[in-house]
């Protein structure tokens, strides 16, 4: 059995939904279909989820969301019209949206989750109705009835362990099951969403619960590329990579797959196949537990910007018990999470997402570190990009770090920071954001250009 998930671009119009239908019915093993909310039809278009967020914000500001709500309904209605689906499902969707927008707003975060989740929930009803109109035995599955239980964390829900045994009963249902992605229910019956793009997570959860043979994730690209095509022209496609490699690449900016999505599939050892809805015959990219390392030490290069570092220096730091804990404790008091902590004997850098820093926070953090830890030097470095060079083959290859550093030096790019995990699956370079594109190109030329010649 296969669990198959379709992203928003695959469901943005009636024409796209026709492609989805043909893909699903072409393989009897595709029994569970996980759907996102309708995405953009063209570059200037709005995603349905974004429209729903705007509806929620207007409601929370005591403004009338009627016009925006009508735009959402119109998106579903246009798809139904293009596919000649009965208007009954549109009336159902409209009534559902009216009920949600008029619901309790005393907890704004919960209300926002309730509104956001309607995008996937109502699209699953629409997709199921279309499949039925084509004479296929298909049904919409309510995550609440199916038993997808999550923690009550708005926008960051975590799957509760008992969900898996409850969801396993879907095996007994007949026909094609259309399941909305992105959200689940708390034990109290409230809607909570996963982090953005969380439909990938739903598909992975169901693949795990149903012990699927394969989890297919359909998007709008033929494969995962070795580097972001917006940074390097015509990059090499990746045919196969491991869970760990994909996790590293997703974290550092690869947007093809949500970086939390692989966890349930990884735990169950289920392979993932990323494919293109618009070109389903393309083999795509497979994500597996282990692979043959025949492509060289590096499988991909990813980058992301918006970071800053806090550099702390203190003589004999290494002899001071608890220094690192105290430093991170100060950041915790300010509600900050950190990404990395590369260190030396007498210095340590803490890498943060820059958007966490509120105005005035930087000076207060600096003062606290200087006062509480008696640091010799505390310095913030802003506008950093992190570049991850990833590959299982690095563990068995000598000199990869030297090649990468040499390539950056040759391109006259100053390295602000270097960090390599103990697993040796990835190494990270910090550079100024203005140097990001040149740095990625230099690394790509070093590890891939020569191979492709």
């Amino acid at each position: 059995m296969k669990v198959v998930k379709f992203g928003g671009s695959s469901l943005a119009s009636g024409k796209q939904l026709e492609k989805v239908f043909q893909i699903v019915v072409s393989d009897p093993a595709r029994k569970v279909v996980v759907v996102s909310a309708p995405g953009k039809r063209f570059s200037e278009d709005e995603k349905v989820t974004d429209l729903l967020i705007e509806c929620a914000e207007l409601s929370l500001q005591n403004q009338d969301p009627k016009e925006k709500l009508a735009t959402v309904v119109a998106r579903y209605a246009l798809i139904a019209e293009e596919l000649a689906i009965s208007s009954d499902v549109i009336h159902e969707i409209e009534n559902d949206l009216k009920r949600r927008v008029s619901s309790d707003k005393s907890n704004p975060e919960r209300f926002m989750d309730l509104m956001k989740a309607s995008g996937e929930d109502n699209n699953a009803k629409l997709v199921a109705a279309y499949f039925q109109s084509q004479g296929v035995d298909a049904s919409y599955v309510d995550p609440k009835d199916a038993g997808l239980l999550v923690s009550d964390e708005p926008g960051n829900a975590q799957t509760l362990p008992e969900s898996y045994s409850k969801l396993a009963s879907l095996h007994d249902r007949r026909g094609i099951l259309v399941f909305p992605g992105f959200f689940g229910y708390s034990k109290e019956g409230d809607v909570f969403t996963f982090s953005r793009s969380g439909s990938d997570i739903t598909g992975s959860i169901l693949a795990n619960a149903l012990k699927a043979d394969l989890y297919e994730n359909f998007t709008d690209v033929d494969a995962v590329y070795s580097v972001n095509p917006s940074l390097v022209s015509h990059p090499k496609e990746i045919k196969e990579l491991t869970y760990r490699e994909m996790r590293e690449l997703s974290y550092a900016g690869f947007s093809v797959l949500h970086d939390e999505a692989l966890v349930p599939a990884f735990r169950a050892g289920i392979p993932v196949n990323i494919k293109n809805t618009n070109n389903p015959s393309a083999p795509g990219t497979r994500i597996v537990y282990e692979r043959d390392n025949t492509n060289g030490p590096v499988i991909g290069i990813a980058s992301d910007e918006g970071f800053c570092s806090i550099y702390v220096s203190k003589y004999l730091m290494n002899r001071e018990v608890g220094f690192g804990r105290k430093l991170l404790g100060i950041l915790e008091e300010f509600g900050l999470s950190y990404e990395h902590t590369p260190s030396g004997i007498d210095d340590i850098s803490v890498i943060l997402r820059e958007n966490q820093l509120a105005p005035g926070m930087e000076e207060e953090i600096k003062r606290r570190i200087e006062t509480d830890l008696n640091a010799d030097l505390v310095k913030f470095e802003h506008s950093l990009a992190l570049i991850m060079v990833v590959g299982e083959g690095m563990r068995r290859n000598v000199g990869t770090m030297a090649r990468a550093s040499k390539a950056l030096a040759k391109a006259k790019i100053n390295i602000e920071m270097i960090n390599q995990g103990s697993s040796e699956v990835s190494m990270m370079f910090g550079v100024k954001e203005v140097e990001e594109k040149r740095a990625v190109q230099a690394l790509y030329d070093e590890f891939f250009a020569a191979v492709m010649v």
Side-chain angles (χ1 to χ4, degrees), residues 30-72:
R30 292 175 175 138
K31 179 176 178 177
V32 178
V33 180
V34 178
V35 300
S36 298
K40 291 185 177 184
R41 295 159 293 182
F42 43 87
S43 60
E44 297 80 17
D45 199 12
E46 281 193 273
K47 296 179 180 179
V48 163
T49 300
D50 291 333
L51 292 169
L52 290 165
I53 290 172
E54 292 173 35
C55 284
E57 289 173 342
L58 288 170
S59 296
L60 291 170
Q61 295 164 9
N62 294 318
Q63 297 182 43
D64 189 356
K66 184 178 179 180
E67 184 177 334
K68 193 67 66 174
L69 208 62
T71 303
V72 175

Side-chain angles (χ1 to χ4, degrees), residues 193-436:
T193 66
F194 300 119
S195 49
R196 194 71 188 263
S197 301
S199 293
D200 292 336
I201 300 175
T202 304
S204 189
I205 291 167
L206 289 169
N208 180 310
L210 296 168
K211 301 296 180 284
D213 300 306
L214 181 67
Y215 170 32
E216 293 180 310
N217 193 296
F218 278 83
T219 180
D220 54 5
V221 294
D222 279 349
V224 175
Y225 294 99
S226 54
V227 70
N228 188 336
S230 68
L231 298 178
V232 175
S233 299
H234 307 297
K236 180 182 178 183
E237 292 183 0
I238 302 174
K239 295 181 179 179
E240 189 173 69
L241 72 166
T242 67
Y243 289 109
R244 287 197 298 180
E245 289 170 332
M246 189 66 203
R247 170 69 177 95
E248 298 274 1
L249 292 168
S250 296
Y251 162 78
F254 269 41
S255 59
V256 174
L257 195 64
H258 192 286
D259 64 351
E260 295 176 24
L262 292 177
V263 176
F266 167 76
R267 287 174 178 162
I270 296 167
V272 178
N273 196 182
I274 297 173
K275 293 175 70 69
N276 189 351
T277 303
N278 302 312
N279 186 20
S281 61
T285 298
R286 283 178 62 88
I287 305 171
V288 296
Y289 199 84
E290 290 183 340
R291 67 176 179 85
D292 294 330
N293 296 299
T294 57
N295 62 300
V298 175
I299 192 74
I301 301 165
S303 65
D304 198 10
E305 56 186 29
F307 294 92
C308 69
S309 69
I310 307 174
Y311 173 80
V312 182
S313 176
K314 184 178 182 181
Y315 192 64
L316 297 180
M317 179 191 294
N318 66 312
R319 296 188 185 179
E320 187 171 333
V321 177
F323 188 91
R325 174 184 56 79
K326 294 172 188 175
L327 173 60
L328 296 179
I330 291 172
L331 299 182
E332 184 179 0
E333 289 179 32
F334 284 87
L336 301 175
S337 62
Y338 72 96
E339 304 291 325
H340 307 278
T341 55
S343 63
I345 299 173
D346 291 330
D347 54 62
I348 184 170
S349 292
V350 183
I351 312 302
L352 312 170
R353 291 277 181 181
E354 200 153 24
N355 59 12
Q356 295 184 91
L357 295 174
M361 190 182 287
E362 180 177 330
E363 285 304 315
E364 183 61 20
I365 292 171
K366 186 174 183 292
R367 185 191 64 78
R368 283 287 308 279
I369 295 173
E370 289 172 341
T371 302
D372 295 7
L373 302 182
N374 295 313
D376 299 326
L377 176 64
V378 181
K379 183 172 66 173
F380 275 75
E381 192 76 39
H382 293 281
S383 301
L384 295 178
L386 296 186
I387 302 172
M388 301 285 285
V389 179
V390 178
E392 297 270 7
M394 289 194 291
R395 291 185 294 176
R396 289 170 288 277
N397 193 283
V398 177
T400 308
M401 176 67 79
R403 286 179 63 186
S405 300
K406 184 178 178 181
L408 293 174
K410 185 178 179 181
K412 294 182 169 47
I413 295 168
N414 186 50
I415 301 172
E416 305 288 334
M417 177 195 61
I418 297 177
N419 192 28
Q420 183 168 22
S422 57
S423 68
E424 296 184 41
V425 174
S426 67
M427 53 190 178
M428 181 183 68
F429 298 91
V431 302
K432 287 293 188 180
E433 287 180 351
V434 294
E435 301 283 17
E436 177 188 2

